[in-house]
Amino acid sequence: MTTEEILEGLTAILQEVAGTDPAEVELDKSFVNDLDVDSLLMVEVVVAAEERFGVSISEDDLKDGSTVGDLVQSIQGVLAAV
Amino acid sequence: MSSEHAPRRRVVITGCGVISPIGLNAAAFWESLLAGRSGIRRIENFEVSDLPTQIAAQVKDFDPEQYMPRKVWRRIDPFAQYALAAAVEAVEGAKIEFDEELAPRVGVQIGSGYGPSTIQSQVTLGLHEKGARSIGPFTSAASAIDNAAGEIAIRFGAKGPSGAISTACASGTSAIGEAMRWIQWGVCDVVLAGGADDSVTRSDIASACSARALSRRNDDPEHACRPFDNERDGFIMASGAGVLVLEEAERAMRRGAPILAELVGYGASTDAYHPTAPHPEGAGAQQAMRAALADARIDASEVDYVNAHGTSTKLNDRIETLAIRQVFGDHALRVPISSTKSMTGHMIGAAGAVEAIAALHAIRDGVVPPTINCFDPEDTEVNYVPHTAQEHKVDVAMSNSFGFAGHNAVAILRAWKP
């Protein structure tokens, strides 16, 4: 799955879960600092991403200050390992 | 501290907000009350075929997005959405700003009887069907009865005391009364006070049916709630919220606030008799009414309107009438007594708050709302304001709330005179 496809999926999830404007979602944006998605909202984002992409994401992969790009990489990593 | 030595701080109402089955703001709600409009319909959002009662008064066409960001409304129960929306209307009406100096003096007290019913049902079903991973990260906060108060405090930066009093069907009145004390005692200068409930889920309806409390007039929803009518057969579960801005009077005058009425008395008591049935002589109800009158330093003969608890159950309406007769004596035959639940249904924790708002409109307009469906009155000597609104000059209004577990709370409002 390409970065663009995953980013498109995450953008839809962020809009649904956090009301994030799709135009704001870029790879270098930090969830907490740029998108106002705190650690609790992140739990919802991760669960929704797991369902959408059929993967299991370790919460240890996502530290404070994680970016959208970090989550995309994490999903790609799991998909590649399958 | 006796009253001779320390004149107590007066408390006024400077804003109000309503989300109800008959109007999504205070003005629309009041217009529906005066028009005698019923909000009771067949339940359509969940399966009712196996329930003895299949009707309710639910909030319709409510769009939370109008009042709060998506990420807020997604994480909270409808009861808290309604409370927050009512608070937004109340604060806008009061034209009040919570700056840094005021914030620590602003309290929030939002009563509720059952709280986040929908979320609690979803958690149980979610755990059963999908397991622990399906439970969202905000569930722990949002599934608690204080959640509405917490969200309102966050929204407005209110940093005084906050919480949720829960006294079943009396919760809204209890919240207003306890909030009045915060201001009288000098703990707060402003309190956002009221009540909210959305107890119209399968579990709420099933359990209230088992308590033999609900009307089963499923084929005629608009005539199902008939307080003080001899053909009544139970109450109607309803959703909604009411929030008042309570403010210390001198502060309100200094800032030129719109003062809607003064909150002058509060009385609370407990039947200590039965989990659902009222005391047979309404001893607790009488005690609460007398306590509220004493607190207001008002004689019963000065009361110009009683917004009754008037649920439409056999027991409440008979015993409430007896209790009012005991407390008011001959004045019970003159004072208009109406139940707005005939139109709104029973909004449980929201009821007392919304009914206090009805009372303050009666004071403002000199009109008392009717008891609809009261065709064959329980007591033929009492003016239950049947069918249509009546013009009465109202200086003093009493609002009664009597709950399961024998919780009784009574508030008294008076036209504002500086």
Side-chain angles (χ1 to χ4, degrees), chain A residues 3-25:
Chain A
T3 299
E4 285 68 32
E5 286 168 333
I6 294 171
L7 184 62
E8 197 185 315
L10 288 181
T11 302
I13 288 168
L14 284 163
Q15 192 178 8
E16 163 69 21
V17 169
T20 311
D21 179 355
E24 293 284 305
V25 183

Side-chain angles (χ1 to χ4, degrees), chain A residues 15-19 36 40-41 44 50 59, chain B residues 70-71 74-75 130 133-138:
Chain A
Q15 192 178 8
E16 163 69 21
V17 169
D36 197 24
L40 285 185
L41 270 177
E44 277 193 89
E50 287 181 334
E59 283 173 27
Chain B
R70 180 179 180 82
K71 75 175 192 183
R74 272 189 89 256
R75 72 186 177 208
K130 296 187 201 160
R133 191 97 170 118
S134 72
I135 308 303
F138 293 101

